[in-house]
Structures are given as structure tokens and as C-alpha cells.
């Protein structure tokens, strides 16, 4: 059963990432083919004898039943992947990475379908509305530099206030700041409350999902600068309130009273 428009709207209202809220049709056999193709490539190009290379060789030669692994891989549920790696006799990190790569085109497709199903931009949380990951970067869009968060994993975009930390929900301008090299159009938004940071790059229009990983890599100098200044991604967040803006938390507690 695919997620309906009503279920998707309800999940967006409740802050539940859509891939957690319901099944999205991803054909395990198509992902298996992609995993085998990627594994064969990696087995040939990676350094011989490393854990990654041995894992790729095995996954390239065998057919792995991915049906029970798709859900855990989509929601980055580590324990199940580790058990599967143990059963297969392969390296867990390499398996997780290969699965992630194999799933990416299907994630992009799912994101596009979900975007047509419901208005994702109504999402008011700091984590990804589709897959639940933390944003990889922000784009500052158009001449007015409107800030939008981007999930590098599934490609989704959602609008976000400039003075709001996506990790801890802090919106106090006194503890929010910017690291920016003089003359550079890119910057790093930092939060002194949770020590988190988000890179921000100007872009006239939103980048295509397939370009985001490259944008993430070419702005690595911003990650280094943020790390040197003592910031990390995500910041130190409390699991109970992670990704929920202060105002949204207040609204929820008023509603309960
Ligand atoms: Zn995502
Ligand atoms: Zn914060």
C-alpha cells in the first residue's frame, strides 16, 4: 500500500518523515540490480584486499535478498544492516555505504512522487521531511537569498528561517551567528546553544538532487572552518526535542493543556 495524500498531509503536520509514515513503492529487485552493478564497479576500482573491496566483490557475485533490508536502509537503521552484514560475511560499513548508493536514485524518485502528493514545504522540522536525515546544507535562493534546507541523501528541499537552528530549534539571535570569509558568497550558520552548524551556499534556483552530493563535497572547506571553530553537524541535541523549533514545541504544549 502506497501512502495516500491524506496520510502524507497528516505525517507532515505531525513531523513524521514520509518514509517512516508509510511505504513508498521501491522495487527490491531493481535495487538489487543497482547494488550488484555498483559492487562490480567498486570491486574492480577499489584497492585490492581492503574490507570495502572484498565486500564489493562478494555483493557483486551474489544475489542478496534486499526485501527485508530496504526499510532499515531507507531509514538508516543501523542494527539491522549490521546483522545482515554478519550473515553475509561482509563489512558492515561497506554494505551500508553500497546500499545507500544503490538506493539513492530510488530515493530521488520517491521524493519527486511524494512532492507531487503533498505540500512538503509546510514541514516545520529541522530534519528531512522524507527520510529523516539532518540537512546537508542550505541554499540561499534567488536575489532575496531565501534560505532553504536540502537533504543531500534524498534531495528534498524545505524552506527555513535564517534565525533558526534546525538541530535544537533555538531562535535567539544572541546565540546564533555566521562564519563567513571576507568576499565569499558562501557562509556557515552556527548555533552557540547546541554548537551545530549548517553550510549555506547561494544559488539562483534550487539545485537538482543529483548535484547536491557534489555541492556538499566542493564546500568541504566550510565544514573544515566550522570544525576548527568548534561546531559540528548536527549539534548536541536532546533526542526528545531534536529538530523541533522552539515555537513549534510551545504550540504543541499549549495544544495539550
Ligand atoms: Zn532526506
Ligand atoms: Zn542549535
Amino acid at each position: 500500500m502506497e501512502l495516500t495524500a491524506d496520510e502524507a498531509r497528516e505525517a507532515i503536520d505531525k513531523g513524521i518523515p514520509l518514509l517512516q509514515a508509510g511505504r513508498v513503492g521501491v522495487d527490491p529487485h531493481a535495487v538489487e540490480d543497482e547494488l550488484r552493478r555498483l559492487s562490480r564497479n567498486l570491486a574492480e576500482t577499489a584497492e585490492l584486499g581492503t574490507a570495502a573491496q572484498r565486500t564489493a566483490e562478494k555483493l557483486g557475485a551474489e544475489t542478496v535478498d534486499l526485501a527485508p533490508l530496504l526499510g532499515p536502509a531507507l531509514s538508516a537503521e543501523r542494527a539491522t544492516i549490521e546483522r545482515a552484514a554478519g550473515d553475509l560475511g561482509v563489512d558492515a560499513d561497506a554494505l551500508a555505504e553500497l546500499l545507500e548508493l544503490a538506493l539513492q536514485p530510488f530515493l530521488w524518485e520517491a521524493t519527486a512522487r511524494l512532492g507531487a502528493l503533498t505540500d512538503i514545504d509546510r514541514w516545520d522540522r529541522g530534519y528531512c521531511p522524507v527520510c529523516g536525515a539532518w540537512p546537508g546544507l542550505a541554499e540561499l535562493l534567488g536575489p532575496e537569498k531565501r534560505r532553504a534546507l536540502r537533504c543531500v541523501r534524498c534531495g528534498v528541499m524545505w524552506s527555513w528561517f535564517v534565525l533558526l537552528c534546525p538541530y535544537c530549534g533555538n531562535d535567539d539571535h544572541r546565540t546564533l551567528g555566521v562564519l563567513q570569509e571576507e568576499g565569499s558568497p558562501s557562509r556557515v550558520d552556527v548555533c552557540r546553544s547546541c554548537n551545530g552548524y549548517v553550510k549555506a551556499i547561494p544559488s539562483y534556483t534550487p539545485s537538482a538532487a543529483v548535484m547536491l552530493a557534489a555541492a556538499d563535497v566542493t564546500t568541504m572547506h566550510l565544514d573544515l572552518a566550522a570544525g576548527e571553530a568548534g561546531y559540528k553537524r548536527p549539534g548536541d541535541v536532546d533526542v526528545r526535542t531534536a529538530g523541533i523549533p522552539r515555537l513549534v514545541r510551545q504550540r504543541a504544549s499549549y495544544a495539550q493543556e
Side-chain angles (χ1 to χ4, degrees), residues 38-165:
L38 284 166
S39 298
R40 284 183 185 153
N41 278 345
L42 182 67
E44 280 172 22
T45 52
E47 198 185 325
L48 211 65
T50 57
Q53 194 269 339
R54 284 199 309 269
T55 298
E57 204 168 59
K58 200 153 192 258
L59 296 177
E62 283 177 20
T63 303
V64 183
D65 177 17
L66 283 186
L69 280 184
L70 279 191
L74 283 167
S75 50
E77 190 195 306
R78 184 69 190 189
T80 313
I81 307 284
E82 274 178 16
R83 262 202 310 280
D87 293 345
L88 289 163
V90 298
D91 183 67
D93 288 332
L95 175 64
E97 254 169 63
L98 277 163
L99 261 178
E100 185 80 23
L101 277 175
L103 269 173
Q104 200 149 40
F106 301 95
L107 264 175
W108 293 335
E109 216 181 280
T111 300
R113 280 209 309 274
L114 290 166
L117 191 66
T118 191
D119 179 12
I120 289 182
D121 211 36
R122 283 174 45 247
W123 183 251
D124 59 10
R125 304 297 166 99
Y127 47 89
C128 171
V130 171
C131 77
W134 291 113
L137 49 91
E139 285 185 309
L140 306 169
L141 297 170
E144 71 277 22
K145 306 250 182 289
R146 186 169 65 82
R147 190 188 188 201
L149 299 177
R150 298 299 304 261
C151 176
V152 172
R153 197 165 172 251
C154 69
V156 80
M157 173 181 91
W158 67 110
S159 301
W160 202 251
F161 291 114
V162 173
L163 288 173
L164 179 58
C165 171

Side-chain angles (χ1 to χ4, degrees), residues 165-170 175-176 190-196 235-237:
C165 171
Y167 309 124
C168 72
N170 172 26
T175 48
L176 292 164
V190 300
C191 170
R192 284 187 287 275
S193 181
C194 71
N195 296 315
D236 302 307
V237 284

